[in-house]
């Protein structure tokens, strides 16, 4: 049911909730890479869940203007 290249063992002593963070960061990074903003570009991040917050921070490292919005 799972692609063996997408499943990794969690080392002993690592909390499973902490083990998921790198995957979430990878999802955010993939979105930033696909957007491919140039320095100085303005970008918008819609949705400020954990992935949106990570994407916002990653965009701030690459660009000067980030607008982030969320619906409450």
């Amino acid at each position: 049911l799972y692609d063996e290249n997408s499943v990794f063992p969690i080392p002993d002593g690592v909390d499973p909730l902490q083990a998921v963070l790198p995957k979430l960061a990878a999802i955010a990074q993939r979105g930033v890479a696909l957007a491919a903003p140039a320095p100085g570009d303005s970008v918008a991040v819609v949705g400020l869940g954990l992935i949106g917050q990570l994407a916002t921070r990653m965009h701030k490292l690459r660009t000067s203007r980030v607008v982030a919005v969320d619906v409450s």
Side-chain angles (χ1 to χ4, degrees), residues 40-65:
D41 282 352
S42 296
V43 298
V45 176
V46 179
L48 292 175
L50 183 54
I51 294 171
Q53 290 179 41
L54 290 167
T56 298
R57 291 174 184 261
M58 291 175 187
H59 276 299
K60 283 296 285 182
L61 293 172
R62 295 180 68 158
T63 65
S64 59
R65 290 167 289 213

Side-chain angles (χ1 to χ4, degrees), residues 16-40:
L17 293 177
Q18 292 178 337
V20 75
L21 291 177
K23 179 60 178 176
L24 298 176
I27 292 168
Q29 176 57 36
R30 176 76 172 144
V32 171
L34 287 173

Side-chain angles (χ1 to χ4, degrees), residues 1 3 16 33 47 50-51 66 70-71:
L1 295 176
D3 176 9
L50 183 54
I51 294 171
V66 179
D70 194 26
V71 179

